[in-house]
Amino acid sequence: MDATTIVRRAVLAVAALNLGYFGIEFAVALAIGSVSLFADSVDFLEDASVNILIALALRWSAPRRALLGKVLALILLAPAVAGLWTAGEKFFTPIVPAPLPLTVTGLGALIVNLGCALILARVRDHQGSLTRAAFLSARNDAFANIAIIAVGLVTAFVWPSIWPDLIVGVGIALVNADAAREVWEAAHEEQKTAKA
């Protein structure tokens, strides 16, 4: 089996996992009014889209893959914008999210994202910015899930307020924005190399 086939199988498996958990996390986020879960659920949908695009572009030329890398960087900004928008709305409906569903859903998301990160770690150096985008996204999501679990515990036992959820939701948005920047830079370097 060639490297392209291995990468394609990996990113399609990750896309399926992300799409499946998006539905779960989005439903819980809406039910309990959680900014952090909403931001993370949109990120699951974005990850599924990114991995599907990567699977389609694996046999493209280097310049076209670099261009897609820039498009993926822009797609990575979608969860950041959605998270910040939801955070702004939270000020008008300051309902504290239920800590138990928040924590359990965050734990489920962590398990899914760690699995995705392990799958992608094996192929992250193939196809340049494309697989780098997928790996960074899964890695950053695992960190975000740890923060969401902490929010649930803090909200339950220390500070029953909207603020822990709001702070982590904005933090997730900022991490996604930074990943978008990193992927954009990698794609830009690939474009320069392809033109040389």
Side-chain angles (χ1 to χ4, degrees):
M1 191 177 329
D2 68 337
T4 302
T5 303
I6 292 168
V7 172
R8 179 172 282 115
R9 286 185 180 178
V11 295
L12 288 175
V14 168
L17 287 168
N18 278 283
L19 195 56
Y21 206 76
F22 157 74
I24 295 168
E25 196 171 41
F26 186 75
V28 175
L30 291 179
I32 67 172
S34 170
V35 174
S36 59
L37 284 182
F38 178 80
D40 198 50
S41 71
V42 173
D43 191 58
F44 270 108
L45 184 59
E46 169 263 322
D47 288 348
S49 304
V50 164
N51 282 284
I52 289 168
L53 286 173
I54 290 169
L56 294 173
L58 286 173
R59 296 205 188 272
W60 290 2
S61 67
R64 286 184 70 199
R65 282 196 317 267
L67 181 61
L68 180 61
K70 287 190 171 184
V71 171
L72 294 179
L74 296 175
I75 290 172
L76 286 171
L77 284 176
V81 172
L84 292 173
W85 180 270
T86 306
E89 288 183 337
K90 189 71 169 181
F91 286 108
F92 300 106
T93 55
I95 299 166
V96 178
L100 183 60
L102 179 63
T103 305
V104 171
T105 307
L107 182 59
L110 177 62
I111 291 166
V112 170
N113 280 315
L114 286 175
C116 291
L118 287 172
I119 291 169
L120 293 168
R122 295 184 210 137
V123 298
R124 72 176 174 219
D125 294 326
H126 300 284
Q127 305 299 326
S129 62
L130 299 183
T131 51
R132 173 182 258 172
F135 173 73
L136 286 173
S137 189
R139 183 203 66 190
N140 291 345
D141 293 347
F143 291 134
N145 299 142
I146 292 168
I148 289 170
I149 293 166
V151 164
L153 296 173
V154 167
T155 303
F157 300 112
V158 180
W159 191 17
S161 164
I162 66 166
W163 288 105
D165 182 54
L166 199 55
I167 291 166
V168 168
V170 170
I172 291 170
L174 295 175
V175 166
N176 284 329
D178 186 59
R181 177 198 56 78
E182 196 170 330
V183 171
W184 180 274
E185 288 173 357
H188 184 70
E189 286 302 314
E190 286 173 15
Q191 267 188 327
K192 287 190 339 192
T193 302
K195 288 177 183 175

